[in-house]
Coordinates of all heavy atoms in Angstrom, one line a residue:
T168 N 238.0 64.3 37.3 CA 239.4 64.7 37.1 C 239.7 65.1 35.7 O 240.2 66.2 35.4 CB 240.3 63.6 37.6 OG1 240.1 63.3 38.9 CG2 241.8 64.0 37.4
A169 N 239.2 64.3 34.7 CA 239.4 64.6 33.3 C 238.7 65.9 33.0 O 239.2 66.7 32.2 CB 238.9 63.4 32.5
G170 N 237.5 66.1 33.5 CA 236.7 67.3 33.2 C 237.4 68.6 33.7 O 237.4 69.6 33.1
F171 N 238.0 68.5 34.9 CA 238.7 69.6 35.5 C 239.9 70.0 34.6 O 240.0 71.2 34.3 CB 239.3 69.2 36.9 CG 240.2 70.3 37.5 CD1 239.6 71.3 38.2 CD2 241.5 70.3 37.3 CE1 240.4 72.3 38.8 CE2 242.3 71.3 37.9 CZ 241.7 72.3 38.6
F172 N 240.7 69.1 34.1 CA 241.8 69.4 33.3 C 241.3 69.9 31.9 O 242.0 70.7 31.3 CB 242.8 68.2 33.2 CG 243.5 68.0 34.5 CD1 243.4 66.8 35.2 CD2 244.3 69.0 35.0 CE1 244.1 66.6 36.4 CE2 245.0 68.9 36.2 CZ 244.9 67.7 36.9
R173 N 240.2 69.3 31.4 CA 239.7 69.8 30.1 C 239.3 71.3 30.3 O 239.6 72.1 29.4 CB 238.5 69.0 29.7 CG 237.9 69.3 28.3 CD 236.9 68.3 27.9 NE 236.0 67.7 28.9 CZ 236.1 66.5 29.4 NH1 237.0 65.7 29.0 NH2 235.2 66.1 30.3
E174 N 238.7 71.7 31.4 CA 238.3 73.1 31.6 C 239.6 74.0 31.7 O 239.5 75.1 31.3 CB 237.6 73.2 32.9 CG 236.2 72.6 32.9 CD 235.5 72.6 34.3 OE1 236.0 73.2 35.2 OE2 234.5 71.8 34.4
K175 N 240.7 73.4 32.1 CA 241.9 74.2 32.2 C 242.6 74.2 30.8 O 243.7 74.9 30.7 CB 242.9 73.6 33.2 CG 242.4 73.7 34.6 CD 242.4 75.1 35.1 CE 241.9 75.2 36.6 NZ 241.7 76.6 37.0
G176 N 242.1 73.5 29.9 CA 242.7 73.4 28.6 C 244.0 72.6 28.5 O 244.8 72.8 27.7
V177 N 244.0 71.6 29.4 CA 245.2 70.7 29.5 C 244.8 69.3 29.2 O 243.7 68.8 29.6 CB 245.7 70.8 31.0 CG1 246.9 69.9 31.2 CG2 246.1 72.2 31.4
R178 N 245.7 68.6 28.5 CA 245.4 67.2 28.2 C 245.6 66.4 29.4 O 246.6 66.6 30.2 CB 246.4 66.8 27.1 CG 246.2 65.3 26.7 CD 247.1 65.0 25.5 NE 247.7 63.7 25.8 CZ 248.7 63.2 25.2 NH1 249.3 63.9 24.3 NH2 249.1 62.0 25.5
C179 N 244.7 65.4 29.6 CA 244.8 64.5 30.7 C 244.9 63.1 30.2 O 244.0 62.6 29.5 CB 243.5 64.6 31.6 SG 243.5 63.5 33.0
D180 N 246.1 62.5 30.4 CA 246.3 61.1 30.0 C 245.7 60.2 31.0 O 245.9 60.4 32.2 CB 247.8 60.8 29.9 CG 248.4 61.6 28.7 OD1 247.8 61.7 27.7 OD2 249.6 62.1 29.0
I181 N 244.9 59.2 30.6 CA 244.3 58.2 31.5 C 244.6 56.8 31.1 O 244.5 56.4 29.9 CB 242.7 58.4 31.5 CG1 242.3 59.8 31.8 CG2 242.1 57.4 32.4 CD1 240.9 60.1 31.6
I182 N 245.1 56.1 32.1 CA 245.3 54.6 31.9 C 244.4 53.9 32.9 O 244.1 54.5 34.0 CB 246.7 54.2 32.0 CG1 247.3 54.5 33.3 CG2 247.5 54.8 30.9 CD1 248.7 53.9 33.5
Q183 N 244.0 52.7 32.7 CA 243.3 51.9 33.6 C 244.0 50.6 33.9 O 244.4 49.9 32.9 CB 241.9 51.6 33.0 CG 240.9 50.9 34.0 CD 240.9 49.4 33.7 OE1 240.8 49.0 32.5 NE2 241.0 48.6 34.7
A184 N 244.3 50.3 35.1 CA 245.0 49.1 35.5 C 244.0 48.2 36.2 O 243.2 48.5 37.0 CB 246.1 49.5 36.5
S185 N 244.1 46.9 35.8 CA 243.3 45.9 36.4 C 244.2 44.9 37.2 O 245.3 44.5 36.7 CB 242.6 45.1 35.3 OG 241.7 45.9 34.6
I186 N 243.8 44.6 38.3 CA 244.6 43.7 39.2 C 243.7 42.5 39.5 O 242.5 42.6 39.7 CB 244.9 44.4 40.5 CG1 245.6 45.7 40.3 CG2 245.7 43.5 41.5 CD1 246.9 45.7 39.6
T187 N 244.3 41.3 39.5 CA 243.7 40.1 39.9 C 244.5 39.5 41.0 O 245.7 39.6 41.1 CB 243.5 39.1 38.7 OG1 244.8 38.8 38.2 CG2 242.6 39.6 37.6
R188 N 243.8 38.8 41.9 CA 244.4 38.1 43.0 C 244.2 36.6 43.0 O 243.1 36.2 42.8 CB 243.8 38.7 44.3 CG 244.5 38.2 45.6 CD 243.8 38.9 46.8 NE 243.8 40.3 46.7 CZ 244.6 41.1 47.4 NH1 245.5 40.6 48.2 NH2 244.5 42.4 47.3
L189 N 245.3 35.9 43.2 CA 245.1 34.4 43.2 C 244.5 34.0 44.5 O 245.0 34.3 45.6 CB 246.5 33.8 43.0 CG 246.5 32.2 42.8 CD1 245.8 31.8 41.6 CD2 248.0 31.7 42.8
E190 N 243.4 33.2 44.4 CA 242.7 32.7 45.6 C 242.4 31.3 45.5 O 242.3 30.7 44.4 CB 241.4 33.5 45.8 CG 241.6 35.0 46.1 CD 240.3 35.7 46.3 OE1 239.3 35.1 46.2 OE2 240.4 37.0 46.6
D191 N 242.2 30.6 46.6 CA 241.7 29.2 46.6 C 240.2 29.3 46.5 O 239.5 30.1 47.1 CB 242.1 28.5 47.9 CG 243.5 28.3 48.0 OD1 244.2 28.0 47.0 OD2 244.1 28.3 49.1
A192 N 239.6 28.4 45.6 CA 238.2 28.3 45.4 C 237.8 26.9 45.2 O 238.1 26.3 44.2 CB 237.8 29.1 44.2
A193 N 237.2 26.3 46.2 CA 236.7 24.9 46.2 C 237.8 23.9 45.7 O 237.6 23.1 44.8 CB 235.5 24.8 45.2
G194 N 239.0 24.0 46.3 CA 240.1 23.1 46.0 C 240.9 23.5 44.7 O 241.8 22.7 44.4
H195 N 240.5 24.5 44.1 CA 241.2 25.0 42.9 C 241.8 26.4 43.2 O 241.4 27.1 44.1 CB 240.3 25.1 41.7 CG 239.7 23.8 41.3 ND1 240.4 22.9 40.6 CD2 238.5 23.2 41.6 CE1 239.6 21.8 40.4 NE2 238.5 22.0 41.0
R196 N 242.7 26.8 42.4 CA 243.3 28.1 42.5 C 242.8 28.9 41.3 O 243.0 28.5 40.2 CB 244.8 28.1 42.6 CG 245.2 27.4 43.9 CD 246.7 27.1 44.0 NE 247.5 28.3 43.7 CZ 248.1 29.1 44.7 NH1 248.0 28.7 45.9 NH2 248.8 30.1 44.3
M197 N 242.3 30.1 41.6 CA 241.8 30.9 40.5 C 242.1 32.4 40.7 O 242.3 32.8 41.9 CB 240.3 30.7 40.2 CG 239.4 31.2 41.4 SD 237.7 31.0 41.1 CE 237.3 32.3 40.0
F198 N 242.1 33.1 39.7 CA 242.3 34.6 39.8 C 241.0 35.3 39.9 O 240.1 35.0 39.1 CB 243.1 35.1 38.6 CG 244.6 34.8 38.7 CD1 245.1 33.8 38.0 CD2 245.4 35.6 39.5 CE1 246.5 33.5 38.1 CE2 246.8 35.4 39.5 CZ 247.3 34.3 38.8
R199 N 240.8 36.1 40.9 CA 239.6 36.9 41.1 C 240.0 38.4 40.8 O 240.9 38.9 41.4 CB 239.1 36.8 42.6 CG 237.9 36.0 42.7 CD 237.4 36.0 44.1 NE 237.2 34.7 44.6 CZ 236.3 33.9 44.3 NH1 235.3 34.3 43.5 NH2 236.2 32.6 44.7
A200 N 239.1 39.0 40.0 CA 239.4 40.4 39.6 C 239.1 41.3 40.8 O 238.1 41.1 41.6 CB 238.4 40.8 38.5
Q201 N 239.9 42.3 40.9 CA 239.7 43.4 41.9 C 239.2 44.6 41.2 O 239.1 44.6 39.9 CB 241.1 43.7 42.6 CG 241.8 42.6 43.2 CD 241.0 42.0 44.4 OE1 240.7 42.7 45.3 NE2 240.6 40.7 44.3
N202 N 238.8 45.7 41.9 CA 238.4 46.9 41.2 C 239.5 47.5 40.3 O 240.6 47.5 40.7 CB 237.9 47.9 42.2 CG 236.6 47.6 42.9 OD1 235.8 46.9 42.4 ND2 236.5 48.0 44.1
P203 N 239.1 47.9 39.1 CA 240.1 48.6 38.3 C 240.5 49.9 38.9 O 239.7 50.5 39.7 CB 239.4 48.8 37.0 CG 237.9 48.8 37.3 CD 237.8 47.9 38.5
V204 N 241.7 50.4 38.6 CA 242.1 51.7 39.1 C 242.5 52.6 37.8 O 243.1 52.1 36.9 CB 243.4 51.5 39.9 CG1 244.0 52.9 40.4 CG2 243.1 50.6 41.1
F205 N 242.0 53.8 37.9 CA 242.3 54.8 36.8 C 243.4 55.6 37.3 O 243.4 56.1 38.5 CB 241.1 55.7 36.5 CG 239.9 54.9 36.1 CD1 238.9 54.5 37.0 CD2 239.7 54.6 34.7 CE1 237.8 53.8 36.5 CE2 238.6 53.9 34.3 CZ 237.6 53.5 35.2
I206 N 244.4 55.8 36.4 CA 245.6 56.7 36.8 C 245.6 57.8 35.7 O 245.7 57.5 34.5 CB 246.9 55.8 36.7 CG1 246.7 54.6 37.7 CG2 248.1 56.7 37.1 CD1 247.8 53.6 37.5
M207 N 245.5 59.0 36.2 CA 245.4 60.2 35.3 C 246.5 61.1 35.6 O 246.9 61.4 36.7 CB 244.1 60.9 35.6 CG 242.9 60.0 35.3 SD 241.4 60.3 36.4 CE 242.0 59.8 37.9
T208 N 247.1 61.6 34.5 CA 248.3 62.5 34.6 C 248.1 63.7 33.7 O 247.6 63.6 32.6 CB 249.6 61.8 34.2 OG1 249.7 60.6 35.0 CG2 250.8 62.7 34.3
A209 N 248.4 64.9 34.3 CA 248.3 66.2 33.5 C 249.6 66.9 33.7 O 250.2 66.9 34.8 CB 247.1 67.0 33.9
H210 N 250.1 67.6 32.7 CA 251.3 68.4 32.8 C 250.9 69.9 32.7 O 250.2 70.3 31.8 CB 252.2 68.1 31.6 CG 252.7 66.7 31.6 ND1 253.9 66.3 32.0 CD2 252.0 65.5 31.3 CE1 254.1 65.0 31.9 NE2 252.9 64.5 31.5
K211 N 251.5 70.7 33.6 CA 251.3 72.1 33.5 C 252.4 72.8 32.7 O 253.6 72.5 32.9 CB 251.3 72.7 34.9 CG 250.8 74.2 35.0 CD 250.6 74.6 36.4 CE 250.0 76.0 36.5 NZ 249.8 76.4 37.9
E212 N 252.1 73.6 31.7 CA 253.1 74.1 30.8 C 253.9 75.1 31.6 O 253.5 75.7 32.6 CB 252.4 74.8 29.6 CG 251.6 73.8 28.8 CD 251.6 74.2 27.4 OE1 252.3 75.1 27.0 OE2 250.9 73.5 26.6
Q213 N 255.2 75.3 31.1 CA 256.1 76.3 31.7 C 255.5 77.7 31.5 O 254.8 78.0 30.5 CB 257.4 76.3 30.9 CG 258.2 75.0 31.2 CD 259.0 75.0 32.5 OE1 258.9 75.9 33.3 NE2 259.7 74.0 32.7
A214 N 255.7 78.6 32.4 CA 255.2 79.9 32.4 C 255.9 80.7 31.4 O 257.0 80.5 31.0 CB 255.2 80.6 33.7

């Protein structure tokens, strides 16, 4: 995605969000990491 926008000459902002889920583990409660998610945004200039 970033490469596509680079080829178009457009800046692509990228953020990465990490999510954890509270789960029971052997009588304790712990947070388990989930897959990170990349969120990319590009703006097309006015014509």
Side-chain angles (χ1 to χ4, degrees):
T168 301
F171 175 86
F172 290 119
R173 188 172 32 257
E174 290 170 14
K175 295 292 182 188
V177 177
R178 182 176 137 194
C179 179
D180 294 319
I181 303 174
I182 62 172
Q183 183 263 313
S185 297
I186 307 298
T187 57
R188 184 181 305 258
L189 187 62
E190 296 181 358
D191 291 326
H195 299 279
R196 295 174 48 103
M197 66 179 284
F198 283 98
R199 254 187 234 280
Q201 305 296 301
N202 287 332
V204 177
F205 299 94
I206 304 168
M207 299 148 293
T208 304
H210 298 256
K211 190 171 189 178
E212 298 211 10
Q213 293 278 4

